[in-house]
Amino acid sequence: MSTLTPPKPDATTAAPARVPLRGAVRVVLRVHRRALWAGAGLLVLGIGIVVALHLWMASSKVLCADGDTTPCGDDVFVSSYAHTSAETYLVDGGTVLVLLAALIGVFVAGPLIARELESGTFRLAWAQSVSPAHWLAARLAVPAALTVTGLTVLVLVYRWGLWALRAGPYSPGLRWYANGTFPGTGPAILGYALLAVAVGALCAVVVRRTVLSMSLSALVLAAVGIGLGTRRYLLWPAVTRQGEEGPKLLRDSDWHLEGGMLTASGSKVYWQDCYHAGSVEGYDACMRDRGGVTPFAEVHPASHYWPLQLVETGILLALAALAVFAAFRVLRRLHG
């Protein structure tokens, strides 16, 4: 008999009625109310920071909507101190939201399950006619629902805070494709949150040790986050522009991936192959020597924001569903 198998009821007694899932959820909320209050505090703190920065920028004395303190339209751009400070705080806001989602999986969802399995308190719930499936479902539903709700609010507030900075000409870290902002401006952050909860639950059920399951969850989530962050540009086909020179080939909103020249046969010669040239003239000569004829650039235009967001979200949700399925399968195997 597995250590996770509850004692069988006496055959002479009638089987008690099943406790509904709603009741199990109320138990989780009551037992872990301190963690819930801490999460609510972080939510209020995040909203307060963004609102304070936005109000600070709105009250600063600037001549232009993009935060320029010099006359609009000239060649000089001097950002206000409020604008620069807000950019410093918001430039990595998306990364902070991803880390927050991961922390929920590592420090809340995982320990919520692993602690009960490690201490044996799960037997009390199972002895009160809470089935193992309902027991696990309640401990998945509570952090998942609260995390998605809280992060949805934070994403909306974060986008509102970024709106005032979007017009700045010298804010590369705030561009739509920047690693520090992209995950936190769309539905992908909700995918990260659900994956964190699912991975935390799976590691808890498999390992059944709180600290070890937390460490394993952190490693898995870090691998997924780094993998998607470094290969995000591959999630949607890039656009190739050619036949134009200089600024006409690239636009300010483009995510520039690669560039170079096309040969007469249509093959591509990349600029990185001529890094040794050392000057613009040297680059051109190197490319011509390799047969380059027509300049080209591979880019993700701003219109690719939503396709990239939705594909990344779909990948995360698929991984989360797989982790949840595996967690229930493992629990059923141990229970049987």
Side-chain angles (χ1 to χ4, degrees), residues 41-73:
L42 289 176
L43 175 63
V44 173
L45 178 63
I47 294 174
I49 290 174
V50 177
V51 171
L53 291 173
H54 194 282
L55 294 177
W56 187 19
M57 286 188 295
S59 64
S60 62
K61 296 180 179 180
V62 296
L63 299 178
C64 306
D66 59 5
D68 193 359
T69 59
T70 64
C72 302

Side-chain angles (χ1 to χ4, degrees), residues 39 42 97-111 143-144 146-148 151 193 196-197 200 221:
L42 289 176
L97 291 180
V98 171
L99 290 176
L100 180 59
L103 288 176
I104 292 171
V106 173
F107 289 97
V108 179
L146 296 178
T147 302
V148 167
L151 285 179
V197 172
L221 294 173

Side-chain angles (χ1 to χ4, degrees), residues 6-177:
K8 294 182 179 180
D10 190 350
T12 61
T13 61
R18 292 289 185 182
V19 176
L21 179 60
R22 184 167 49 187
V25 169
R26 285 200 299 266
V27 171
V28 174
L29 290 173
R30 185 170 63 252
V31 172
H32 300 281
R33 57 186 178 275
R34 291 185 179 179
L36 299 178
W37 280 112
L42 289 176
L43 175 63
V44 173
L45 178 63
I47 294 174
I49 290 174
V50 177
V51 171
L53 291 173
H54 194 282
L55 294 177
W56 187 19
M57 286 188 295
S59 64
S60 62
K61 296 180 179 180
V62 296
L63 299 178
C64 306
D66 59 5
D68 193 359
T69 59
T70 64
C72 302
D74 59 11
D75 295 332
V76 179
F77 181 87
V78 180
S79 176
S80 67
Y81 180 68
H83 192 280
T84 302
S85 299
E87 179 179 334
T88 301
Y89 283 105
L90 296 179
V91 69
D92 291 319
T95 302
V96 172
L97 291 180
V98 171
L99 290 176
L100 180 59
L103 288 176
I104 292 171
V106 173
F107 289 97
V108 179
L112 191 69
I113 298 170
R115 191 178 296 115
E116 292 195 36
L117 293 176
E118 185 175 11
S119 63
T121 55
F122 68 94
R123 296 188 181 90
L124 176 61
W126 291 9
Q128 295 175 346
S129 302
V130 176
S131 69
H134 278 188
W135 176 85
L136 181 58
R139 281 145 186 80
L140 280 170
V142 171
L146 296 178
T147 302
V148 167
T149 302
L151 285 179
T152 299
V153 174
L154 285 178
V155 166
L156 295 176
V157 173
Y158 181 53
R159 288 177 65 93
W160 174 71
L162 287 176
W163 190 263
L165 297 171
R166 192 169 296 177
Y170 303 115
S171 303
L174 294 172
R175 297 190 184 277
W176 66 268
Y177 54 82

Side-chain angles (χ1 to χ4, degrees), residues 270-290:
Y270 293 97
W271 290 113
Q272 62 183 5
D273 297 330
C274 293
Y275 276 162
H276 61 277
S279 65
V280 176
E281 294 77 9
Y283 275 119
D284 290 338
C286 175
M287 298 298 283
R288 301 293 179 186
D289 291 342
R290 292 173 177 267

